[in-house]
Amino acid sequence: MYPGALLGCQGMGEFQNMLHAALNIGVDPVAIKETIYQATAYLEIGRTCDFLIAANGIMEQHGVRLPLAPQASTNEETRFERGLAKQVELFGPDMAKRQTDGPALRRNINRWLADNCFGDYYTRNGLNGQEREMITFCFFLAQGGCENQLRGHTAGNFGVGNGKEKLYSVVEQCMPYIGYPRSLNAMSIIDEIAAKEK
């Protein structure tokens, strides 16, 4: 959780401190790197590149041999199909309709969302579906101003088995890094989506 929140709020100093601690207690370097890679789709490369460079340096200090084993499971030919399947799995069949029935001006970005965000990242090994959805929730939670996406990924978390109690716990763990206003906003969204799920 903490890397997603610290990436989202751009807390580089604390990210570095916590990464040393995480590696000292045996957190899998692959999981850490996968979190950073996935952040690129949600935070953009300009805000994630420095975190990747810092993580590589810290991992080398801890004796982690880089590069790590590749985790990609798609290629240029399969990324769209598998990414769209992942979107449908997480958010329902309406995701497929966005490719054909959505506004013409949005079709490019809808396709990029399927093949890049979901095909390139969500299909990777190293983190499971529950972990990826929880981390994505943390990205939106921490950066603020992304309430619509936080709603969508709250529902996505519910769909993969990260229920209301789990997400409340995630918010509580992230609160020292993101503050009370964003924490309270997230809890309101969790309540809102939980009420719709009933």
Side-chain angles (χ1 to χ4, degrees):
M1 282 174 279
Y2 89 85
L6 290 169
L7 280 153
C9 73
Q10 295 294 280
M12 176 64 83
E14 190 61 15
F15 174 85
Q16 291 172 311
N17 293 337
M18 294 296 289
L19 183 51
H20 281 291
L23 292 169
N24 283 337
I25 62 168
V27 173
D28 184 2
V30 169
I32 295 164
K33 292 286 281 280
E34 286 302 311
T35 299
I36 299 168
Y37 296 151
Q38 185 160 331
T40 304
Y42 297 104
L43 304 173
E44 50 93 2
I45 197 165
R47 293 195 286 163
T48 58
C49 185
D50 289 342
F51 284 85
L52 182 59
I53 292 167
N56 285 343
I58 291 168
M59 287 182 182
E60 287 174 347
Q61 290 173 32
H62 284 262
V64 176
R65 189 171 178 172
L66 299 176
L68 299 174
Q71 300 298 316
S73 68
T74 62
N75 58 39
E76 197 62 37
E77 290 76 40
T78 62
R79 64 198 284 254
F80 174 75
E81 179 183 312
R82 294 207 43 221
L84 185 57
K86 183 59 72 173
Q87 278 186 293
V88 169
E89 175 189 328
L90 291 169
F91 304 109
D94 284 345
M95 297 308 295
K97 292 178 186 172
R98 290 184 183 191
Q99 298 300 324
T100 55
D101 300 346
L105 291 174
R106 292 186 65 171
R107 288 194 186 139
N108 282 344
I109 201 161
N110 287 345
R111 182 168 181 95
W112 298 335
L113 190 64
D115 64 19
N116 176 246
C117 184
F118 289 90
D120 290 340
Y121 296 105
Y122 266 78
T123 60
R124 291 175 64 85
N125 299 313
L127 294 171
N128 64 37
Q130 284 185 312
E131 291 165 332
R132 287 197 184 276
E133 265 305 286
M134 181 185 65
I135 289 164
T136 300
F137 176 85
C138 291
F139 297 148
F140 292 131
L141 163 73
Q143 64 182 310
C146 298
E147 284 72 22
N148 284 337
Q149 290 76 22
L150 188 60
R151 284 181 180 89
H153 284 277
T154 297
N157 269 280
F158 288 170
V160 296
N162 294 331
K164 182 176 178 175
E165 278 187 28
K166 171 84 172 201
L167 292 185
Y168 258 69
S169 175
V170 167
V171 173
E172 289 170 358
Q173 292 294 314
C174 292
M175 194 278 300
Y177 308 115
I178 64 170
Y180 287 104
R182 289 178 180 166
S183 298
L184 293 170
N185 286 348
M187 288 181 167
S188 293
I189 288 172
I190 293 167
D191 290 343
E192 173 191 325
I193 301 304
K196 287 180 182 178
E197 298 276 319
K198 288 183 178 181

